[in-house]
Amino acid sequence: TRGVEKLLRRIGFRYANRVDPFDGGPHYSARLDEITLVQETRRARADRPVTPQPGDKRALVAVEYGEPPYFRAVMATIREEGARGVALDNDAWEALHIHHSSPILLLKID
């Protein structure tokens, strides 16, 4: 649909001049470093769990593992970013099985 095409183009994808042989849909591609969501994702450290408060920001927070499931991501409330790391809501802390100073991937939503 045009809506999906618009979304893909907005985040860095381009029409690849080919179509899917099964459904006739267009193919879009992008180099990984050209995708805006990838560009805006950064590495950080978890600081501590916090209870969400009005005014907190939201982010997609992920962790990488050396074994299955290899990667896990959740939408989380983040409180602050400082020299010690990022404070995350309790639910994200538990869902990602992280501890103080765990490496995380962070994509701010708002």
Side-chain angles (χ1 to χ4, degrees), residues 42-49 61-65 83-88 92-106:
R42 65 180 191 77
R43 293 188 180 275
R45 295 267 175 200
D47 179 23
R48 66 186 191 284
V61 179
V63 293
E64 297 173 300
Y65 302 104
R84 296 185 335 204
V86 181
L88 307 170
W93 198 267
E94 291 176 19
L96 296 174
H97 306 290
I98 56 177
H99 54 80
H100 178 71
S101 294
S102 289
I104 58 173
L105 297 164
L106 185 70

Side-chain angles (χ1 to χ4, degrees), residues 1-109:
T1 67
R2 295 285 179 213
V4 172
E5 176 186 358
K6 183 177 177 180
L7 174 116
L8 289 172
R9 288 183 183 276
R10 187 173 52 214
I11 64 172
F13 284 75
R14 291 185 277 307
Y15 178 60
N17 293 312
R18 59 182 192 257
V19 296
D20 188 286
F22 299 103
D23 69 9
H27 281 197
Y28 287 83
S29 65
R31 289 176 24 132
L32 191 60
D33 62 349
E34 294 176 344
I35 302 170
T36 58
L37 297 173
V38 173
Q39 293 170 351
E40 294 169 5
T41 300
R42 65 180 191 77
R43 293 188 180 275
R45 295 267 175 200
D47 179 23
R48 66 186 191 284
V50 294
T51 302
Q53 300 292 321
D56 286 347
K57 304 289 184 191
R58 292 179 350 127
L60 186 61
V61 179
V63 293
E64 297 173 300
Y65 302 104
E67 56 190 41
Y70 298 112
F71 178 87
R72 182 176 285 159
V74 297
M75 187 63 67
T77 300
I78 62 173
R79 171 79 43 79
E80 58 198 41
E81 298 176 70
R84 296 185 335 204
V86 181
L88 307 170
D89 68 70
N90 293 308
D91 290 342
W93 198 267
E94 291 176 19
L96 296 174
H97 306 290
I98 56 177
H99 54 80
H100 178 71
S101 294
S102 289
I104 58 173
L105 297 164
L106 185 70
L107 174 62
K108 292 182 185 177
I109 303 301

